Amino acid sequence: MKVTIVGAGNVGATCADVISYRGIASEVVLLDIKEGFAEGKALDIMQCATNTGFNTHVSGVTNDYSKTANSDVVVITSGIPRKPGMTREELIGINAGIVKTVAENVLKYSPNTIIVMVSNPMDTMTYLALKSTGLPKNRIIGMGGALDSSRFRTYLSLALDKPANDISAMVIGGHGDTTMIPLTRLASYNGIPVTEFLSEEVLQKVAADTMVGGATLTGLLGTSAWYAPGASVAFLVDSILNDQKKMIACSVFIEGEYGQNDICIGVPCIIGKNGVEQILEIHLNEKEKALFAKSADAVRSMNDALKSILA
């Protein structure tokens, strides 16, 4: 199985490293526009093989899309990262042109690939890729919900003082500081609702911390996070390549689900070899429905900025 990662920055390189280390794919190609950058990252990762025991072949190329031919999955991380004080929404104008060009180029050489979108603002870039390429909706997946849910589980783990891997929790809605919806009501610790252990006040803080999880790290690091985003992408790619059919919150195109249409937004999905194999419409209470509708309105307003690009 072959995976191409476009953008060899922190997130792209971490994704390649995790995919290689875990043996998720037999071949990984890193592509970047900066001369020698992807080649250097790939060589650095390959030099870990003898010490970590992986057999994945990792290569890097400078803007040569022919080397990405016949990729089963293409991950797009291209674009500028967030800087302190910058919202994901502010990135639209800069990153939209980059993402559209990248999507067109990868499809020239891998027409049957599944695209995983990482570039921010992620919901809007996922929508752009879908509309500009004309691919079926199951083959364009935004990874934001996987990352947000991981952060949610981490904050619940800290509040509970229990292992994160024993916690089941999900974030739906837009991948933005004000648009994501951590489903505290449905979160559980080994099958027991976390509401049995944590007060409403604590749960509200956990949800608030989750929503600004990315901004918190940007403030601390001076740039966007990369370890958790890279691992979240690899987790999603693993479910595709190995047909694991995991339920993962992803930004996908919905047509009537959750009362919304013509939008890419985070909802629970079954992810397998065909990409998005099923959208799960879980029961939301009235408060959660209202939050989802508000989130969808915010995402849709950002999509309006794409009209000139998609025209």
Side-chain angles (χ1 to χ4, degrees), residues 173-190:
H175 181 57
D177 300 345
T178 61
T179 56
M180 66 180 74
I181 306 163
L183 294 173
T184 55
R185 179 179 63 88
L186 299 179
S188 64
Y189 164 59
N190 277 335

PDB file of all heavy atoms in Angstrom, residues 173-190:
ATOM      1  N   GLY A 173     -19.061  18.366  14.801  1.00  0.00           N
ATOM      2  CA  GLY A 173     -19.150  19.768  14.425  1.00  0.00           C
ATOM      3  C   GLY A 173     -17.926  20.239  13.679  1.00  0.00           C
ATOM      4  O   GLY A 173     -17.065  19.455  13.280  1.00  0.00           O
ATOM      5  N   GLY A 174     -17.816  21.534  13.513  1.00  0.00           N
ATOM      6  CA  GLY A 174     -16.708  22.114  12.779  1.00  0.00           C
ATOM      7  C   GLY A 174     -15.402  22.021  13.541  1.00  0.00           C
ATOM      8  O   GLY A 174     -15.384  22.023  14.774  1.00  0.00           O
ATOM      9  N   HIS A 175     -14.300  21.949  12.801  1.00  0.00           N
ATOM     10  CA  HIS A 175     -12.960  21.867  13.395  1.00  0.00           C
ATOM     11  C   HIS A 175     -12.447  23.275  13.639  1.00  0.00           C
ATOM     12  O   HIS A 175     -11.514  23.765  12.997  1.00  0.00           O
ATOM     13  CB  HIS A 175     -12.025  21.104  12.450  1.00  0.00           C
ATOM     14  CG  HIS A 175     -10.630  20.944  12.960  1.00  0.00           C
ATOM     15  ND1 HIS A 175     -10.325  20.351  14.150  1.00  0.00           N
ATOM     16  CD2 HIS A 175      -9.441  21.312  12.411  1.00  0.00           C
ATOM     17  CE1 HIS A 175      -9.020  20.335  14.326  1.00  0.00           C
ATOM     18  NE2 HIS A 175      -8.454  20.929  13.285  1.00  0.00           N
ATOM     19  N   GLY A 176     -13.098  23.952  14.590  1.00  0.00           N
ATOM     20  CA  GLY A 176     -12.727  25.322  14.919  1.00  0.00           C
ATOM     21  C   GLY A 176     -12.885  25.568  16.402  1.00  0.00           C
ATOM     22  O   GLY A 176     -13.619  24.843  17.093  1.00  0.00           O
ATOM     23  N   ASP A 177     -12.244  26.602  16.892  1.00  0.00           N
ATOM     24  CA  ASP A 177     -12.244  26.873  18.331  1.00  0.00           C
ATOM     25  C   ASP A 177     -13.642  27.139  18.882  1.00  0.00           C
ATOM     26  O   ASP A 177     -13.895  26.923  20.072  1.00  0.00           O
ATOM     27  CB  ASP A 177     -11.354  28.082  18.639  1.00  0.00           C
ATOM     28  CG  ASP A 177      -9.916  27.861  18.207  1.00  0.00           C
ATOM     29  OD1 ASP A 177      -9.554  26.703  17.939  1.00  0.00           O
ATOM     30  OD2 ASP A 177      -9.160  28.847  18.127  1.00  0.00           O
ATOM     31  N   THR A 178     -14.534  27.620  18.049  1.00  0.00           N
ATOM     32  CA  THR A 178     -15.889  27.943  18.514  1.00  0.00           C
ATOM     33  C   THR A 178     -16.961  27.040  17.899  1.00  0.00           C
ATOM     34  O   THR A 178     -18.138  27.188  18.226  1.00  0.00           O
ATOM     35  CB  THR A 178     -16.232  29.410  18.186  1.00  0.00           C
ATOM     36  OG1 THR A 178     -16.177  29.612  16.765  1.00  0.00           O
ATOM     37  CG2 THR A 178     -15.249  30.358  18.855  1.00  0.00           C
ATOM     38  N   THR A 179     -16.554  26.126  17.025  1.00  0.00           N
ATOM     39  CA  THR A 179     -17.555  25.334  16.296  1.00  0.00           C
ATOM     40  C   THR A 179     -17.575  23.854  16.672  1.00  0.00           C
ATOM     41  O   THR A 179     -18.513  23.144  16.322  1.00  0.00           O
ATOM     42  CB  THR A 179     -17.330  25.443  14.776  1.00  0.00           C
ATOM     43  OG1 THR A 179     -15.995  25.046  14.470  1.00  0.00           O
ATOM     44  CG2 THR A 179     -17.562  26.860  14.294  1.00  0.00           C
ATOM     45  N   MET A 180     -16.540  23.358  17.361  1.00  0.00           N
ATOM     46  CA  MET A 180     -16.543  21.936  17.715  1.00  0.00           C
ATOM     47  C   MET A 180     -17.455  21.680  18.912  1.00  0.00           C
ATOM     48  O   MET A 180     -17.673  22.553  19.756  1.00  0.00           O
ATOM     49  CB  MET A 180     -15.126  21.429  17.966  1.00  0.00           C
ATOM     50  CG  MET A 180     -14.417  22.008  19.153  1.00  0.00           C
ATOM     51  SD  MET A 180     -12.733  21.324  19.342  1.00  0.00           S
ATOM     52  CE  MET A 180     -11.845  22.139  18.014  1.00  0.00           C
ATOM     53  N   ILE A 181     -17.981  20.455  18.977  1.00  0.00           N
ATOM     54  CA  ILE A 181     -18.940  20.086  20.010  1.00  0.00           C
ATOM     55  C   ILE A 181     -18.473  18.813  20.714  1.00  0.00           C
ATOM     56  O   ILE A 181     -18.706  17.689  20.231  1.00  0.00           O
ATOM     57  CB  ILE A 181     -20.347  19.848  19.390  1.00  0.00           C
ATOM     58  CG1 ILE A 181     -20.778  21.071  18.576  1.00  0.00           C
ATOM     59  CG2 ILE A 181     -21.368  19.538  20.494  1.00  0.00           C
ATOM     60  CD1 ILE A 181     -21.908  20.782  17.614  1.00  0.00           C
ATOM     61  N   PRO A 182     -17.797  18.946  21.849  1.00  0.00           N
ATOM     62  CA  PRO A 182     -17.427  17.760  22.621  1.00  0.00           C
ATOM     63  C   PRO A 182     -18.685  17.166  23.267  1.00  0.00           C
ATOM     64  O   PRO A 182     -19.376  17.845  24.032  1.00  0.00           O
ATOM     65  CB  PRO A 182     -16.467  18.312  23.687  1.00  0.00           C
ATOM     66  CG  PRO A 182     -16.042  19.662  23.178  1.00  0.00           C
ATOM     67  CD  PRO A 182     -17.222  20.178  22.420  1.00  0.00           C
ATOM     68  N   LEU A 183     -18.978  15.921  22.948  1.00  0.00           N
ATOM     69  CA  LEU A 183     -20.213  15.291  23.435  1.00  0.00           C
ATOM     70  C   LEU A 183     -19.986  14.712  24.835  1.00  0.00           C
ATOM     71  O   LEU A 183     -19.815  13.507  25.013  1.00  0.00           O
ATOM     72  CB  LEU A 183     -20.668  14.221  22.452  1.00  0.00           C
ATOM     73  CG  LEU A 183     -21.102  14.727  21.069  1.00  0.00           C
ATOM     74  CD1 LEU A 183     -21.373  13.563  20.124  1.00  0.00           C
ATOM     75  CD2 LEU A 183     -22.330  15.628  21.182  1.00  0.00           C
ATOM     76  N   THR A 184     -20.010  15.590  25.825  1.00  0.00           N
ATOM     77  CA  THR A 184     -19.767  15.161  27.209  1.00  0.00           C
ATOM     78  C   THR A 184     -20.828  14.179  27.689  1.00  0.00           C
ATOM     79  O   THR A 184     -20.535  13.270  28.472  1.00  0.00           O
ATOM     80  CB  THR A 184     -19.734  16.375  28.148  1.00  0.00           C
ATOM     81  OG1 THR A 184     -20.945  17.132  27.991  1.00  0.00           O
ATOM     82  CG2 THR A 184     -18.541  17.275  27.832  1.00  0.00           C
ATOM     83  N   ARG A 185     -22.057  14.344  27.222  1.00  0.00           N
ATOM     84  CA  ARG A 185     -23.160  13.476  27.653  1.00  0.00           C
ATOM     85  C   ARG A 185     -22.925  12.019  27.272  1.00  0.00           C
ATOM     86  O   ARG A 185     -23.357  11.094  27.985  1.00  0.00           O
ATOM     87  CB  ARG A 185     -24.471  13.976  27.027  1.00  0.00           C
ATOM     88  CG  ARG A 185     -25.711  13.154  27.382  1.00  0.00           C
ATOM     89  CD  ARG A 185     -26.949  13.745  26.731  1.00  0.00           C
ATOM     90  NE  ARG A 185     -26.889  13.710  25.278  1.00  0.00           N
ATOM     91  CZ  ARG A 185     -27.293  12.677  24.530  1.00  0.00           C
ATOM     92  NH1 ARG A 185     -27.776  11.586  25.098  1.00  0.00           N
ATOM     93  NH2 ARG A 185     -27.207  12.738  23.213  1.00  0.00           N
ATOM     94  N   LEU A 186     -22.233  11.788  26.154  1.00  0.00           N
ATOM     95  CA  LEU A 186     -22.047  10.432  25.646  1.00  0.00           C
ATOM     96  C   LEU A 186     -20.679   9.847  25.996  1.00  0.00           C
ATOM     97  O   LEU A 186     -20.415   8.686  25.688  1.00  0.00           O
ATOM     98  CB  LEU A 186     -22.235  10.422  24.128  1.00  0.00           C
ATOM     99  CG  LEU A 186     -23.612  10.868  23.630  1.00  0.00           C
ATOM    100  CD1 LEU A 186     -23.658  10.836  22.099  1.00  0.00           C
ATOM    101  CD2 LEU A 186     -24.723  10.016  24.214  1.00  0.00           C
ATOM    102  N   ALA A 187     -19.808  10.634  26.607  1.00  0.00           N
ATOM    103  CA  ALA A 187     -18.475  10.142  26.958  1.00  0.00           C
ATOM    104  C   ALA A 187     -18.563   9.110  28.082  1.00  0.00           C
ATOM    105  O   ALA A 187     -19.400   9.217  28.984  1.00  0.00           O
ATOM    106  CB  ALA A 187     -17.594  11.308  27.395  1.00  0.00           C
ATOM    107  N   SER A 188     -17.678   8.102  28.013  1.00  0.00           N
ATOM    108  CA  SER A 188     -17.728   7.039  29.024  1.00  0.00           C
ATOM    109  C   SER A 188     -16.330   6.550  29.388  1.00  0.00           C
ATOM    110  O   SER A 188     -15.388   6.667  28.603  1.00  0.00           O
ATOM    111  CB  SER A 188     -18.568   5.862  28.530  1.00  0.00           C
ATOM    112  OG  SER A 188     -17.966   5.264  27.385  1.00  0.00           O
ATOM    113  N   TYR A 189     -16.234   6.011  30.592  1.00  0.00           N
ATOM    114  CA  TYR A 189     -15.006   5.388  31.071  1.00  0.00           C
ATOM    115  C   TYR A 189     -15.293   3.902  31.268  1.00  0.00           C
ATOM    116  O   TYR A 189     -16.062   3.513  32.130  1.00  0.00           O
ATOM    117  CB  TYR A 189     -14.557   6.026  32.386  1.00  0.00           C
ATOM    118  CG  TYR A 189     -13.536   5.229  33.166  1.00  0.00           C
ATOM    119  CD1 TYR A 189     -12.296   4.910  32.609  1.00  0.00           C
ATOM    120  CD2 TYR A 189     -13.803   4.780  34.460  1.00  0.00           C
ATOM    121  CE1 TYR A 189     -11.362   4.178  33.315  1.00  0.00           C
ATOM    122  CE2 TYR A 189     -12.876   4.048  35.175  1.00  0.00           C
ATOM    123  CZ  TYR A 189     -11.663   3.741  34.601  1.00  0.00           C
ATOM    124  OH  TYR A 189     -10.738   3.005  35.298  1.00  0.00           O
ATOM    125  N   ASN A 190     -14.721   3.072  30.387  1.00  0.00           N
ATOM    126  CA  ASN A 190     -14.987   1.629  30.398  1.00  0.00           C
ATOM    127  C   ASN A 190     -16.476   1.312  30.443  1.00  0.00           C
ATOM    128  O   ASN A 190     -16.945   0.443  31.186  1.00  0.00           O
ATOM    129  CB  ASN A 190     -14.258   0.958  31.563  1.00  0.00           C
ATOM    130  CG  ASN A 190     -12.811   0.652  31.240  1.00  0.00           C
ATOM    131  OD1 ASN A 190     -12.444   0.503  30.076  1.00  0.00           O
ATOM    132  ND2 ASN A 190     -11.973   0.557  32.258  1.00  0.00           N
TER     133      ASN A 190
END
